[in-house]
Amino acid sequence: EDTPAGKLELKKDRLILTTNVNPQLYELTRIFGLETKNGFFSGKSIQFTYSGLTKRQITIPTENPNKWFTVIEDAKMGKYPKMTNLGERYSNLN
């Protein structure tokens, strides 16, 4: 999703926010206290505490905070299957 903060993606155990400057990578295992804000004055966003080298509060604006909340929580619980490289899969068949 393109957000006011940059492009937001969920890939391979990481939440990635790519800004004009550089990508910010957040490991799903370090995302805690995930919540959404849909208030009229506070705008739409997902918020979480990230326990990296320093524990900090992250707020990312998004048009679909509830969708992102669900997708991130499901991914943290391992709901989605691991993706495999199709090239590796087919080379192992030979």
Side-chain angles (χ1 to χ4, degrees):
E1 177 182 342
D2 288 322
T3 73
K7 185 173 184 178
L8 187 60
E9 302 172 279
L10 183 64
K11 290 187 176 181
K12 225 172 183 186
D13 301 329
R14 286 180 174 80
L15 182 66
I16 304 171
L17 176 66
T18 305
T19 65
N20 292 335
V21 182
N22 63 351
Q24 298 169 20
L25 310 177
Y26 303 104
E27 295 179 35
L28 293 184
T29 56
R30 294 183 179 189
I31 292 176
F32 297 98
L34 186 64
E35 62 180 342
T36 63
K37 288 191 97 171
N38 285 309
F40 180 77
F41 294 106
S42 63
K44 298 178 181 178
S45 63
I46 55 171
Q47 297 180 317
F48 55 89
T49 300
Y50 185 72
S51 63
L53 296 174
T54 57
K55 198 171 185 180
R56 57 196 171 128
Q57 185 77 25
I58 307 295
T59 301
I60 301 173
T62 172
E63 284 297 313
N64 301 294
N66 290 321
K67 177 191 82 172
W68 280 102
F69 177 90
T70 301
V71 169
I72 293 168
E73 285 296 314
D74 286 348
K76 284 176 65 176
M77 294 187 319
K79 179 178 178 182
Y80 305 113
K82 296 278 184 193
M83 299 299 290
T84 58
N85 183 312
L86 291 179
E88 290 176 10
R89 180 185 293 174
Y90 288 117
S91 68
N92 291 335
L93 294 176
N94 295 331

